[in-house]
């Protein structure tokens, strides 16, 4: 399968770990390992790297043993530094803004942050796993909403219209222009115009190339 990806799952709940494995394998993806804590996650990915068998993406719970605080997200941040080619998608019970911004501190490429409730929306979850594995971004709408609420207090986005903020928020979720057009019930051309205006107002020149979209999202999330 063209979209088949190799996944490592880190989740201390055996039931949820097995459920995620079943969701992904039923749709043709390969779960190469499933672990229950952050240390095992790092050791597993390092071992796969030594064997030249790195996964395309890691799906990890934010909170894992032994303290059930931030072990998962710290492991994810470490893996992004040691294995930058591996996508990282973290799952959380609640929106934890600090963890989201920490995870996105370096780059938004190949990164995702979803609430666990989103797993019930099977197609969206699997699409998010594949998107992150391919270097894209997948942010839960609730995460985006909270970060947007904070960013509205900052001057850097003050020049954007309400519609441009909405488009930028959907960009931060990892949606394409076509997907944004469907969501807002407007034409693709209208979305392209909004995106161009966003780039202009955020001072992102055409010389930034394809990275302008990533830079726009990072400006939005860090503001």
């Amino acid at each position: 399968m063209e979209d088949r990806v190799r996944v490592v799952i880190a989740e201390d709940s055996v039931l949820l770990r097995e459920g995620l494995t079943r969701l992904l394998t039923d749709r043709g993806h390969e779960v190469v390992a499933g672990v229950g804590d952050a240390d095992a996650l790092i050791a597993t990915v390092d071992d796969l790297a030594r064997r030249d068998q790195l996964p395309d993406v890691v799906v990890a719970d934010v909170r894992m043993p032994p303290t059930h605080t931030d072990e998962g997200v710290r492991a994810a941040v470490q893996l992004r530094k040691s294995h930058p080619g591996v996508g990282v998608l973290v799952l959380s019970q609640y929106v934890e803004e600090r963890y989201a911004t920490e995870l996105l501190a370096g780059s938004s490429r190949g990164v995702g942050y979803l609430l666990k409730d989103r797993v019930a929306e099977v197609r969206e979850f699997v699409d998010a796993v594949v998107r992150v594995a391919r270097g894209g971004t997948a942010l839960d709408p609730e995460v985006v909403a909270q970060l947007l609420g904070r960013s509205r207090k900052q001057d850097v986005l003050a020049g954007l219209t309400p519609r441009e903020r909405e488009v930028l928020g959907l960009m931060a979720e990892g949606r394409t222009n076509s997907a944004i057009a469907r969501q807002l019930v407007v034409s693709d051309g209208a979305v392209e115009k909004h995106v161009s205006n966003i780039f202009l107002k955020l001072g992102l020149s055409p010389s930034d190339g394809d990275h302008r979209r990533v830079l726009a999202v990072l400006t939005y999330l860090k503001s």
Side-chain angles (χ1 to χ4, degrees):
M1 293 176 58
E2 182 179 349
D3 285 336
R4 177 172 176 162
V5 297
R6 301 176 72 251
V7 188
V8 170
I9 298 175
E11 166 60 58
D12 62 295
S13 166
V14 176
L15 184 62
L16 181 53
R17 188 166 71 236
E18 292 300 320
L20 294 174
T21 299
R22 180 69 179 270
L23 285 179
L24 292 167
T25 56
D26 280 355
R27 282 152 186 82
H29 303 295
E30 181 185 2
V31 176
V32 297
V35 299
D37 62 71
D39 289 342
L41 170 60
I42 292 172
T44 297
V45 175
D46 286 345
D47 180 59
L48 289 169
R50 284 191 292 270
R51 291 187 278 142
D52 197 25
Q53 296 177 1
L54 272 174
D56 298 304
V57 60
V58 167
V59 178
D61 191 355
V62 166
R63 300 173 182 268
M64 286 194 288
T67 68
H68 292 277
T69 54
D70 62 352
E71 284 88 351
V73 75
R74 284 193 286 109
V77 171
Q78 181 175 332
L79 288 174
R80 279 172 62 74
K81 293 177 180 177
S82 57
H83 305 289
V86 177
V88 173
L89 174 63
V90 299
L91 303 177
S92 179
Q93 192 69 40
Y94 310 102
V95 177
E96 301 183 81
E97 194 174 299
R98 177 171 64 88
Y99 296 155
T101 53
E102 183 178 358
L103 190 65
L104 291 157
S107 168
S108 65
R109 293 184 61 82
V111 65
Y113 188 113
L114 296 180
L115 295 183
K116 287 188 175 180
D117 288 346
R118 203 65 58 189
V119 176
E121 300 172 18
V122 175
R123 182 174 179 179
E124 287 191 19
F125 169 70
V126 176
D127 285 349
V129 171
V130 174
R131 188 159 67 245
V132 170
R134 300 303 183 215
T137 305
L139 296 180
D140 196 284
E142 292 297 325
V143 175
V144 172
Q146 285 206 17
L147 294 175
L148 178 58
R150 182 184 63 175
S151 69
R152 281 174 176 156
K153 301 175 183 177
Q154 308 297 324
D155 291 336
V156 68
L157 302 182
L160 301 185
T161 67
R163 177 61 93 180
E164 288 165 355
R165 287 176 180 271
E166 192 173 12
V167 169
L168 184 52
L170 292 170
M171 287 168 60
E173 291 178 24
R175 298 175 187 262
T176 64
N177 285 3
S178 295
I180 293 172
R182 290 194 298 271
Q183 176 75 18
L184 301 180
V185 195
V186 297
S187 68
D188 287 2
V191 173
E192 290 173 6
K193 183 176 180 181
H194 288 312
V195 172
S196 294
N197 287 338
I198 290 168
F199 291 157
L200 179 63
K201 292 178 180 180
L202 294 183
L204 301 174
S205 68
S207 62
D208 292 315
D210 293 337
H211 295 297
R212 285 197 297 173
R213 198 176 189 90
V214 174
L215 293 172
V217 169
L218 285 174
T219 299
Y220 161 64
L221 294 174
K222 292 178 179 178
S223 64

